[in-house]
Amino acid sequence: MYDINTHYKFIAARFLLEFNTAYLAKLFGVPLSKINRMESNTCNIPAVYSYALNNLISHEENYKGIYKSLENDDLENFCKKINKASKISRLSCSKCHSRKLHVMKMKENIYFIECMKCKKTMYSNKDSAMRYYSWQNKGVYLSHYLYSKKEI
Ligand SMILES: [Zn+2]
């Protein structure tokens, strides 16, 4: 159990889980404004949200990597650089929705994906494929480069 008691830990955990704020609000059954207030550091983070996020993390295939990233990466710096409103999607098989995939890089921004469950193959140029590939090869880590570029 990792104590998610600051806004930057909250944001980091959400990005490692690859969830949008709207999705998280729906999942927790709270208004989106509540999530936004916690992430903009205008209210404290009640312990129940820390428990809920830990519960979500514990169901992830790569939960060990997520915890390692939360312990080691520069979360504060990540939060300064990331656009909190950026849309995030999670890579999954387009046929069976499995997250057990093998991703290979074909060339810059083109990834070849094989589902280990149903053997479907796909190509993708999305951030989610790039992130999966990076985490598959380097272990889970946080960097704003793994997500949509901040709009200037
Ligand atoms: Zn599949």
Side-chain angles (χ1 to χ4, degrees):
M1 163 98 189
Y2 175 84
D3 195 5
I4 298 168
N5 53 3
T6 65
H7 71 288
Y8 58 86
K9 287 181 186 173
F10 189 101
I11 295 164
R14 177 169 69 76
F15 273 87
L16 287 164
L17 284 162
E18 305 178 279
F19 289 147
N20 296 312
T21 46
Y23 182 83
L24 207 60
K26 209 174 151 192
L27 208 61
F28 290 172
V30 297
L32 179 56
S33 58
K34 177 69 185 171
I35 304 288
N36 288 336
R37 280 204 305 281
M38 287 191 286
E39 292 202 350
S40 56
N41 199 20
T42 53
C43 73
N44 289 327
I45 296 167
V48 66
Y49 289 88
S50 180
Y51 290 126
L53 284 167
N54 273 279
N55 185 47
L56 289 172
I57 293 167
S58 70
H59 287 96
E60 290 293 307
E61 189 89 14
N62 56 2
Y63 71 95
K64 281 183 187 157
I66 292 176
Y67 280 124
K68 200 170 166 220
S69 172
L70 286 170
E71 302 275 2
N72 298 311
D73 291 342
D74 186 352
L75 310 183
E76 222 167 339
N77 196 35
F78 170 77
C79 294
K80 279 181 195 149
K81 290 181 176 163
I82 197 76
N83 172 10
K84 294 196 292 283
S86 62
K87 288 265 176 281
I88 316 168
S89 62
R90 287 156 66 91
L91 190 68
S92 62
C93 174
S94 59
K95 192 176 163 197
C96 77
H97 307 293
S98 170
R99 297 253 297 153
K100 282 193 187 4
L101 310 165
H102 185 70
V103 181
M104 278 180 286
K105 190 176 188 171
M106 304 312 284
K107 53 185 180 181
E108 211 50 52
N109 294 320
I110 301 287
Y111 297 89
F112 174 80
I113 302 152
E114 183 183 7
C115 176
M116 304 315 273
K117 204 174 159 195
C118 75
K119 300 291 167 196
K120 183 176 170 60
T121 57
M122 305 153 267
Y123 285 95
S124 176
N125 62 355
K126 290 184 183 146
D127 290 341
S128 56
M130 183 261 288
R131 204 159 48 232
Y132 197 106
Y133 177 80
S134 298
W135 286 352
Q136 170 191 283
N137 291 298
K138 297 180 195 168
V140 179
Y141 69 100
L142 260 187
S143 160
H144 63 288
Y145 292 113
L146 292 173
Y147 301 88
S148 305
K149 301 289 166 282
K150 200 167 190 169
E151 281 171 42
I152 302 159

